[in-house]
Amino acid sequence: MAELLQYLLSGITVGAVYALVALGFTLIYNASDVVNFAQGEFVMLGGMISFFAWQAGIPLPLAAILAIIATAAVGVLLNKLAIEPARGAPVASLIIITIGASIFLRGGAQLVFDKQLHRFPSFSGDDPIRILGATILPQSLWVITGAVAIFLALWLFFAHTLTGKAVLATANNRIAASLVGINPNHMMTLSFAVSAAIGALAGVLVTPITLTSYDLGVAIALKGFAAAMLGGMGIPAGALAGGLLLGLIEAFTAGYVSSVYKDAVAFVVILAVLFAMPQGLFGRKAMDRV
Amino acid sequence: MRLSRKHLTLIVLALLIALAPALFPSNFYYRIGALIFVNGLAVTGLVVLIGFAGQISLGHAGFAGIGAYACALAPGYLGLHPGLAMLLGAMLSGGVAWLIGRPILRLKGYYLAVATLGFGILVSMVLANEAKITGGPDGREVAELGLRGALAAIGIGLSNAQFWYAATGLAMLLGAWVALNLQDSPTGRALRALHDSEIAARTVGVDVARLKLSAFVISAVYASLSGSLLALMNRFITPDVAGFLHSVELVTMTVFGGVGSVPGAILGAATLTLLPQALTVLQQYENLILGLIMMLVMIFMRDGLLPSIMRRLKGRG
């Protein structure tokens, strides 16, 4: 029983990180139909910038905010300089542009920072909290709370603010949106900024647990991408559910089956889901029009 | 008689392969050439899948891994000659592609990308974790092909690097010949129709599912042969050959050079194989520059390197 609870807790922690990355994918996909493979680099930048700012003597909370703002700026630049000029390019080209961006950012981080692993202290100490025989790190609670808060904030933003509705309108139909006075390019810029900020926040929250380094982006982007697909691309609730599900599948596989195959099982489940439900768990069936 | 574009392409390729060694200052360049040809072979297969049929795959390194490990394992476990092991690997890859192809190819766009990605990751994970059989992350030695000795016996003495340059060059040329023939065939035309509009292709009687599957199987065999050649040439193989990054590299080369065109994709393979070699001088900046070039070409030369260059040349002339 304690074992089960332990796997559950660690699954939710990892899943919350995947969910945050998947939310980032979802936001950009909604605004621009682009799957941004550089999403993992936003997580890396969040962790790396906060670490180096913190080491330079800036208090950790301030360093974190600095990192989130700087990463958001990188997101905006990525959109302005690489995604907007490539509007209308085929999926394969867009995949390569964002993969190019991810390699570029990795190269930049390696140059500006270094190639070491880094960690900064947990926000509320490292004493594990005991729950019914299982334990959880206080930092894990930060991660989970962060994911839930971001999800709620996004939900409020899309459901109850004019700007949020404008983003949704742009996602639905660019031309119709611009006809009613929405500037689709502004909406895209906003989405990239928010998406990068969410990625950076995930990086800040998770660095005390998993450490950060210039090349952690690929692995985390793969998982976030898979989680977003599992839930159904472009659906925020799907990203949350997909992320948590992926984290739980991994934790239970690692616990009960084999830790080396935890990533493999995750992908087997995703393949199975996609075969049965080609639009993901929460996706609606798209209609092709001739 | 006017030369067809197909023959012109093949002749230019053959001449380039034959004449390039005149410029090689050292044996090392034969090896780089061979690497280009190995990548060129895999990328030619991806032209059939991405360029002709319009289906993306982020898991083709998985097939390269199957081909590579067939050459590494079959001689020891089954007593097969490495050359036969290569064929076995190709059949295995084709078979796996045929089995998983039908359900996978029902997916579109990014969903297809993540499904193929999942497949590739599964293969590389099995290769890395079944250490007792595959040698795990440390890799495994591969038996000597033995053809070079046979050639020496009939009086053709080649250095190892020269032999592999010639062998992989020939393999790529054959691969390009098959792909170009396919492009001109009714199947090739049907594939391109499907690329433009699946629904339109279906209404004129094209069996879309079967065609997509054939393209997937063909491209898997290409990737597998490329993996086998790499294993035999290096005499050593690690699970990296099946890794996600290798899949991405292959797709990048294909799209970078010009996705609908065999010579374009080969140019892409050449450029992106050479670039990191050239950039080792600027070691620290390697990733930075590589990423930048990938983005710039895709933004400003949307159809890829070769088609854009050709259009510009024609526009001027």
Side-chain angles (χ1 to χ4, degrees), chain B residues 235-284:
Chain B
R235 302 277 323 271
F236 195 81
I237 204 71
T238 65
D240 284 348
V241 68
F244 168 65
L245 288 177
H246 191 213
S247 285
V248 168
E249 250 171 42
L250 293 178
V251 173
T252 307
M253 287 170 179
T254 316
V255 179
F256 190 87
V259 69
S261 121
V262 172
I266 290 174
L267 178 70
T271 316
L272 290 177
T273 312
L274 279 174
L275 208 57
Q277 304 285 345
L279 291 178
T280 43
V281 190
L282 306 162
Q283 210 177 16
Q284 276 188 304

Side-chain angles (χ1 to χ4, degrees), chain A residues 29 33-35 81-82 85-89 91-93 95-97 99-101 103-104 107-108 110-111 218 222 225 229 232-233 260-261 263-264 267-268 271 274-275 278-279 288 290, chain B residues 50 56 58 100 103-104 106-111 113-115 117-119 121-122 125-126 129-130 199 244-245 248 251-252 255-256 283-285 287-288 290-292 294-295 298-299 302:
Chain A
Y29 183 77
D33 282 335
V34 171
V35 167
L81 300 178
R87 170 142 290 283
V91 168
S93 308
I95 289 181
I96 291 179
I97 290 174
I99 288 177
I103 296 177
F104 178 80
Q110 170 194 340
L111 216 65
V218 181
L222 279 181
F225 177 46
M229 287 287 161
M233 200 66 195
V260 289
Y261 277 113
D263 298 309
F267 276 104
V268 170
L271 285 176
L274 286 181
F275 289 157
Q279 306 297 323
D288 273 335
V290 186
Chain B
I50 308 178
I56 192 148
L58 289 182
I100 64 166
I104 272 194
R106 282 208 333 244
L107 304 167
K108 289 190 175 62
Y110 290 114
Y111 288 93
V114 79
L117 177 92
F119 162 75
I121 287 187
L122 288 182
M125 231 166 246
V126 170
N129 289 326
E130 294 306 316
I199 294 164
F244 168 65
L245 288 177
V248 168
V251 173
T252 307
V255 179
F256 190 87
Q283 210 177 16
Q284 276 188 304
Y285 300 92
N287 281 335
L288 208 66
L290 191 64
L292 197 62
M294 281 167 70
M295 287 194 281
M298 281 298 109
I299 295 167
R302 209 169 273 192

Side-chain angles (χ1 to χ4, degrees), chain A:
Chain A
M1 185 59 206
E3 213 175 39
L4 182 86
L5 189 66
Q6 185 65 61
Y7 298 146
L8 200 69
L9 290 176
S10 52
I12 290 175
T13 308
V14 182
V17 179
Y18 295 162
L20 279 176
V21 181
L23 276 173
F25 273 113
T26 290
L27 270 177
I28 289 182
Y29 183 77
N30 268 344
S32 59
D33 282 335
V34 171
V35 167
N36 171 31
F37 280 91
Q39 196 68 33
E41 269 59 39
F42 294 153
V43 180
M44 175 272 288
L45 285 177
M48 290 294 262
I49 298 175
S50 353
F51 172 80
F52 280 92
W54 171 71
Q55 227 191 12
I58 300 173
L60 196 51
L62 210 60
I65 291 169
L66 194 74
I68 291 170
I69 293 172
T71 310
V74 171
V76 170
L77 284 177
L78 175 65
N79 175 46
K80 284 285 168 207
L81 300 178
I83 307 294
E84 263 186 34
R87 170 142 290 283
V91 168
S93 308
L94 287 170
I95 289 181
I96 291 179
I97 290 174
T98 57
I99 288 177
S102 121
I103 296 177
F104 178 80
L105 289 174
R106 214 178 312 151
Q110 170 194 340
L111 216 65
V112 177
F113 306 119
D114 60 19
K115 291 171 115 173
Q116 315 295 315
L117 279 168
H118 297 292
R119 170 180 196 271
F120 44 76
S122 308
F123 302 169
S124 350
D126 290 318
D127 299 328
I129 302 163
R130 305 203 144 270
I131 310 167
L132 299 171
T135 60
I136 187 166
L137 289 171
Q139 190 65 29
S140 298
L141 295 178
W142 276 99
V143 174
I144 296 165
T145 315
V148 173
I150 289 289
F151 180 75
L152 286 178
L154 279 179
W155 179 72
L156 286 174
F157 172 70
F158 282 126
H160 293 285
T161 68
L162 205 55
T163 322
K165 287 176 180 159
V167 173
L168 288 181
T170 313
N172 213 302
N173 187 331
R174 265 181 97 80
I175 297 168
S178 42
L179 281 176
V180 295
I182 298 165
N183 184 338
N185 283 344
H186 286 177
M187 295 307 132
M188 261 177 75
T189 306
L190 180 71
S191 305
F192 269 85
V194 174
S195 171
I198 293 176
L201 177 74
V204 170
L205 292 174
V206 84
T207 296
I209 306 177
T210 59
L211 313 190
T212 187
S213 75
Y214 79 104
D215 60 353
L216 75 88
V218 181
I220 200 120
L222 279 181
K223 290 296 173 56
F225 177 46
M229 287 287 161
L230 185 62
M233 200 66 195
I235 303 148
L240 188 73
L244 288 176
L245 200 59
L246 192 62
L248 287 172
I249 295 169
E250 279 190 21
F252 281 108
T253 313
Y256 290 118
V257 189
S258 125
S259 60
V260 289
Y261 277 113
K262 70 179 168 69
D263 298 309
V265 170
F267 276 104
V268 170
V269 171
I270 289 164
L271 285 176
V273 168
L274 286 181
F275 289 157
M277 288 175 269
Q279 306 297 323
L281 288 173
F282 294 82
R284 268 167 303 233
K285 200 161 164 41
M287 293 290 279
D288 273 335
R289 271 194 227 145
V290 186

Side-chain angles (χ1 to χ4, degrees), chain B residues 6 61 96 99 133 144 174 204 241:
Chain B
K6 177 176 83 187
V96 171
L99 274 180
I133 305 171
E144 162 85 50
L174 277 173
V204 294
V241 68

